Amino acid sequence: MQQFMSQLQNLFATSGSGPVNWDLARQVAASQLAAAGDPAVSPYERNAVEEALRLADLWLEPASALPSGIQTSVAWNRNEWIYKTLDVWRKLCDPVASRMVGAMGDLVPPEARAQLGPMQSMVATLGGALFGGQLGQALGSLAAEVLSAGDIGLPLGPAGTAALIPANIKAYGEGLELPEDEVRLYVALREAAHQRLFQHVPWLRGHVLSAVEMYASGIRVNREAIEEAMGRVDPTDPESMQAIALEGIFTPEDSPAQKASLARLETALALVEGWVCHVVDSAATGRLPNVVRLAEAFRRRRAAGGPAEQTFAALVGLELRPRRLREAAALWAALTEHRGISGRDALWGHPDLLPSEDDFADPVAFAMSEFDLSELEGFDFSAPGGPEEQVPGESERRPDDDTDDDKRP
């Protein structure tokens, strides 16, 4: 008992508010990037990114009924990507981490809790540090791979800010053996398409993030794995926290509700990514010499996920991959053919209009369905057009934020 209390007392001087020690997460990620290298963005790269995003927006005009969503065009280094996206990661990861911290508290023997008294907060410190260190490593790895703010399909960056990471685009282009400027422009098209979608479909941001949160709420904690991880902590060596692998602590609960949450999340990610792929390829065809190679490379990349995405999935139990990407892209293509660009994009006017998972099986049948979208074909995407779903972690909407579900110009 004395040894246990001594370990808690000496564990960590750095504490953070909430279930995750985000200060530690930032430190670990920054340290990892410093070791691997984080090239500064040169003036040439900054100008090249701004020009690529400007041109991408022009190319997307005839391919989408949604107007430009870009308010600011920026080039980030890897550390900036972490700093600018941390608020969303906090909303996504805190609910999962809080259950781990609670499970760690349950591991403390009942007789020990009475003796610990106020020192029980040290258990939360341990949990927050464990998760913060591991999350920092995962984010540091992701930062070395992502190509833009919207690269993994979630609205991670500030609203209206289109951002590319030149160092990662250069490395990715070298791997494909394609010209850097062509790869940069293709990434810019994808980023600009994401911005159009999330800026002009008011309910979409909350819809996607709440789908992630709902799925995360059904992830259960493996208490034996936590106990094993705690047993490997050396209280005299804070760096030992970073060496502990938390993979396996979080596992999806095999229940009907959790399977439904997973289906909702996968459908949301696939619809977003499928629309982006279809619109980008439509805009780039005939303009980029290697558009076919680029399109296939990006589909495989998003469908399989990189090493960093796999690490993140193992850590928090969330796979941010659109498993049905090809089916979703085929569905949007069928809608374009049978209903036109305006009719296709009018489906974003309300979540109830979007295809369901079952519709992926026969995209042509869905595109030719008798449901009349004629009233929505002239939908003004520059104005609020649907119910805004509350983003996880945000306060309740103000009354004056309410929008009419059926608002039309």
Side-chain angles (χ1 to χ4, degrees):
M1 178 60 60
Q2 290 179 347
Q3 182 181 6
F4 177 75
M5 293 178 66
S6 176
Q7 288 176 344
L8 288 180
Q9 285 178 317
N10 296 326
L11 179 62
F12 241 2
T14 306
S15 62
S17 59
V20 177
N21 188 329
W22 287 100
D23 289 337
L24 177 62
R26 282 193 295 266
Q27 293 172 18
V28 170
S31 175
Q32 184 170 315
L33 288 175
D38 185 15
V41 178
S42 69
Y44 168 80
E45 290 173 325
R46 202 173 303 279
N47 291 335
V49 165
E50 292 176 357
E51 178 61 22
L53 287 167
R54 185 194 65 79
L55 183 58
D57 240 359
L58 287 176
W59 285 6
L60 287 172
E61 279 298 315
S64 169
L66 283 70
S68 172
I70 298 178
Q71 298 173 2
T72 306
S73 299
V74 294
W76 288 343
N77 64 14
R78 293 160 180 165
N79 265 297
E80 284 178 305
W81 177 85
I82 292 176
Y83 180 78
K84 298 292 187 181
T85 63
L86 210 57
D87 284 346
V88 176
W89 289 120
R90 187 191 301 267
K91 294 168 185 173
L92 296 178
C93 297
D94 274 356
V96 181
S98 64
R99 287 196 296 282
M100 185 194 77
V101 173
M104 291 180 68
D106 293 341
L107 291 176
V108 179
E111 62 273 14
R113 296 176 196 172
Q115 296 187 40
L116 283 173
M119 284 180 56
Q120 280 188 284
S121 62
M122 293 297 289
V123 176
T125 300
L126 170 60
L130 273 172
F131 203 90
Q134 293 284 290
L135 193 57
Q137 290 184 27
L139 290 177
S141 298
L142 267 176
E145 293 182 5
V146 293
L147 306 178
S148 66
D151 195 22
I152 65 172
L154 297 179
L156 296 176
T161 298
L164 307 187
I165 297 87
N168 294 350
I169 291 174
K170 180 178 181 180
Y172 185 65
E174 290 172 351
L176 293 178
E177 298 182 346
L178 289 174
E180 181 181 351
D181 59 345
E182 195 170 344
V183 177
R184 182 194 304 114
L185 187 49
Y186 193 83
V187 175
L189 281 164
R190 290 176 52 81
E191 178 70 2
H194 272 109
Q195 291 295 330
R196 285 175 182 246
L197 203 52
F198 283 103
Q199 276 292 94
H200 296 292
V201 181
W203 53 266
L204 183 59
R205 178 183 174 90
H207 180 78
V208 171
L209 294 182
S210 66
V212 175
E213 185 187 42
M214 284 181 64
Y215 177 69
S217 67
I219 295 175
R220 58 186 175 85
V221 177
N222 185 333
R223 300 195 180 193
E224 291 182 359
I226 291 181
E227 194 167 11
E228 182 182 349
M230 290 178 66
R232 294 195 298 269
V233 175
D234 179 1
T236 64
D237 180 15
E239 292 185 1
S240 69
M241 306 286 287
Q242 299 180 28
I244 296 173
L246 293 185
E247 288 88 343
I249 283 182
F250 301 103
T251 55
E253 184 178 325
D254 188 18
S255 67
Q258 181 66 353
K259 290 178 181 177
S261 295
L262 176 59
R264 181 174 184 254
L265 172 58
E266 289 182 341
T267 299
L269 292 175
L271 287 174
V272 169
E273 192 66 20
W275 185 88
V276 168
C277 286
H278 172 66
V279 169
V280 165
D281 292 348
S282 298
T285 298
R287 290 188 171 106
L288 290 180
N290 294 289
V291 62
V292 175
R293 282 185 60 191
L294 283 164
E296 183 59 26
F298 272 80
R299 278 186 175 86
R300 290 179 178 178
R301 178 176 178 270
R302 287 295 293 122
E309 283 188 72
Q310 294 164 10
T311 299
F312 186 81
L315 175 61
V316 300
L318 285 173
E319 290 191 356
L320 302 176
R321 296 184 291 139
R323 292 180 181 274
R324 308 193 65 178
L325 171 56
R326 292 184 187 274
E327 293 97 321
L331 194 150
W332 290 116
L335 282 164
T336 304
E337 179 181 354
H338 292 282
R339 295 191 176 273
I341 292 173
S342 296
R344 176 200 70 200
D345 291 349
L347 290 176
W348 293 109
H350 193 282
D352 291 345
L353 298 177
L354 287 178
S356 67
E357 181 184 13
D358 295 337
D359 295 319
F360 287 4
D362 194 344
V364 175
F366 177 81
M368 298 180 68
S369 61
E370 296 181 0
F371 184 71
D372 187 11
L373 293 179
S374 60
E375 294 184 13
L376 287 173
E377 288 186 0
F379 193 86
D380 182 8
F381 285 102
S382 64
E388 294 191 29
E389 295 190 13
Q390 186 174 330
V391 176
E394 290 188 352
S395 59
E396 295 289 336
R397 286 185 292 122
R398 299 184 303 272
D400 59 350
D401 287 336
D402 290 340
T403 56
D404 186 347
D405 291 357
D406 296 319
K407 183 173 180 181
R408 299 182 178 90

